[in-house]
Amino acid sequence: MEKGKISSLQMAFMLYPTIIATAILMLPSFTAQYAKQDLWLSPIWACLIGFLTVFIAIQLNKLYPNQTVIQFSQQIVGRFFGKIVGLLFLIFYIPTTGLITRSYGEFVVDSFLPHTPVVVITGSMVLVCSFAIRGGIELLGRVADLFVPIFLITLILLLLLLLPDFNFNNLLPIMEDGFMPSFKGSIILQGWFTEFFLIIFLLPFLKDSKKGTKSISWTVFAVMITLVIVNMSTYAVLGTTTAYKVYPLMNVARYISIANFFEHLEAIFMAVWILGTFVKISIFYYASVLVVAQLLNLSDYRPIVLPVGILIVEFCFWSLPSTVEISRFETTAFPFYALFVQTIIPLFLLLLSLFKRSFQKLTEN
């Protein structure tokens, strides 16, 4: 079905913006509602779920190399229940891709194109992503190679230019109310860290699989460090108002002004952020297409790329009707929903597989 190959570095570049692109935009606000000045600690606790999810995915890949979760789940729990597991992933990834695309569309419309219909923004993004997906996994890897360094360098420059506006007193006192506020903030973040399970759709196509574990582990660490710095920087500039901003990092970008000339950089940030979002939507879209193709036992996934894209655009509007509902879902239901599908179900499959293998060895002896 997929003959392309990617390197472990390309896999890391594909996963980094997949987590970061939407996380840096909205999570500082969500986390600040619970953690307040300790919001920078929340990614440290949340990344433990990321490492656990990566460990589960890598162990499953070692047991069933060259297969995705849709394929090996049928070997673990049988054909019928394996199809049910596949359907659970299907009804997770397609609506979630729609949710991500809708969030992207709402942000663009709210911040820059208020007179443009959201469906035009979301539809055009899905269409462009479909071209990349039809090109295969190698094309997605090369796109990530090109876009992620630009995305990362621009984000670093943005944070450096904000240094004159930092008020580090906003971050004090540390753990004033103990450990629990930052831990409560991390519960929301864990939904994003479980997205590292997407490596299960990429590991079968690695050409240097021995480096895969090290590469993805460093990616989890890089995501954690990035979120720590972004959360810290946002709160250092905005203080307690961070919790009331819809897109706090965009508000922070508007503070940059050097010699009353070098300012209004939010447009540059917006352009580069779209690159990261493009990679994120493409990876989720690609996973959705693979799930559908493997559930239907197709020999080629390309014919269903556009039909799945149409479903994704539909789910942009079917699932959640407004920005308020999107924010409410992402702060309440999504972290637990994502944890169940992308960590707990794979953990169950791993434990059951290990038990079956141990039982077979005992019966053979």
Side-chain angles (χ1 to χ4, degrees):
M1 185 179 294
E2 173 65 75
K3 301 193 184 337
K5 292 290 183 181
I6 57 173
S7 67
S8 58
L9 181 62
Q10 286 176 322
M11 182 179 70
F13 278 178
M14 293 164 78
L15 266 295
Y16 179 80
T18 298
I19 315 302
I20 285 294
T22 51
I24 61 173
L25 199 63
M26 298 177 291
L27 286 183
S29 173
F30 297 160
T31 312
Q33 294 173 22
Y34 298 93
K36 299 180 182 178
Q37 71 269 21
D38 291 331
L39 79 169
W40 62 275
L41 291 170
S42 296
I44 299 174
W45 318 136
C47 81
L48 299 177
I49 291 294
F51 282 113
L52 174 62
T53 303
V54 165
F55 173 79
I56 294 168
I58 289 172
Q59 294 307 310
L60 284 169
N61 178 256
K62 287 179 179 178
L63 294 173
Y64 304 95
N66 304 319
Q67 296 184 50
T68 70
V69 66
I70 308 303
Q71 295 165 321
F72 62 66
S73 61
Q74 296 182 37
Q75 297 181 35
I76 297 173
V77 297
R79 184 176 179 80
F80 176 74
F81 289 106
K83 290 288 185 183
I84 292 177
V85 171
L87 284 173
L88 289 174
F89 282 103
L90 178 64
I91 62 177
F92 174 79
Y93 281 115
I94 290 182
T96 301
T97 309
L99 172 65
I100 295 165
T101 309
R102 175 66 181 274
S103 299
Y104 155 78
E106 291 288 351
F107 171 66
V108 173
V109 169
D110 291 346
S111 302
F112 291 93
L113 301 172
H115 302 296
T116 304
V118 178
V119 68
V120 174
I121 304 297
T122 55
S124 58
M125 174 59 88
V126 170
L127 182 63
V128 174
C129 291
S130 70
F131 295 148
I133 292 166
R134 283 182 65 87
I137 191 74
E138 283 190 12
L139 178 60
L140 290 175
R142 290 169 186 170
V143 166
D145 271 343
L146 177 64
F147 287 169
V148 171
I150 299 172
F151 174 84
L152 189 56
I153 291 169
T154 306
L155 180 61
I156 292 170
L157 288 175
L158 171 71
L159 296 175
L160 288 175
L161 290 171
L162 279 170
L163 281 173
D165 297 298
F166 279 16
N167 180 5
F168 287 102
N169 289 327
N170 289 337
L171 300 169
L172 299 175
I174 297 172
M175 289 194 181
E176 180 182 19
D177 298 317
F179 164 77
M180 285 307 297
S182 61
F183 178 74
K184 288 179 180 178
S186 72
I187 293 174
I188 298 172
L189 289 171
Q190 74 181 10
W192 271 258
F193 275 97
T194 61
E195 291 173 0
F196 276 106
F197 184 69
L198 285 165
I199 65 171
I200 204 70
F201 298 99
L202 305 178
L203 288 171
F205 310 119
L206 282 187
K207 57 188 175 185
D208 52 350
S209 56
K210 292 182 179 179
K211 298 180 180 178
T213 302
K214 185 176 180 180
S215 180
I216 199 63
S217 298
W218 276 110
T219 307
V220 178
F221 182 76
V223 167
M224 183 269 288
I225 291 295
T226 304
L227 289 177
V228 166
I229 294 172
V230 167
N231 283 4
M232 185 180 291
S233 302
T234 305
Y235 208 85
V237 175
L238 298 177
T240 54
T241 62
T242 303
Y244 306 104
K245 304 291 185 182
V246 180
Y247 307 115
L249 191 62
M250 181 57 67
N251 294 102
V252 164
R254 294 190 173 106
Y255 275 74
I256 297 173
S257 179
I258 300 175
N260 293 323
F261 172 74
F262 195 65
E263 52 189 13
H264 299 296
L265 299 184
E266 61 270 19
I268 297 175
F269 170 74
M270 169 73 178
V272 175
W273 176 80
I274 288 175
L275 299 181
T277 307
F278 169 77
V279 175
K280 176 168 187 139
I281 294 174
S282 295
I283 299 303
F284 268 89
Y285 189 173
Y286 180 73
S288 301
V289 169
L290 281 186
V291 169
V292 174
Q294 290 174 349
L295 275 175
L296 298 177
N297 293 321
L298 301 180
S299 59
D300 188 6
Y301 66 84
R302 288 168 181 81
I304 64 168
V305 169
L306 285 177
V308 172
I310 293 171
L311 268 179
I312 289 170
V313 175
E314 293 292 346
F315 271 104
C316 289
F317 304 97
W318 284 348
S319 49
L320 297 165
S322 66
T323 306
V324 175
E325 290 296 323
I326 291 171
S327 298
R328 185 177 295 127
F329 176 74
E330 289 178 333
T331 55
T332 54
F334 178 74
F336 302 100
Y337 182 34
L339 181 68
F340 174 72
V341 176
Q342 298 185 117
T343 303
I344 294 177
I345 290 179
L347 178 60
F348 170 76
L349 291 174
L350 176 61
L351 293 176
L352 185 58
S353 177
L354 292 174
F355 174 78
K356 287 178 67 176
R357 286 170 180 255
S358 298
F359 183 76
Q360 286 174 357
K361 287 182 180 178
L362 286 174
T363 54
E364 289 172 359
N365 295 332

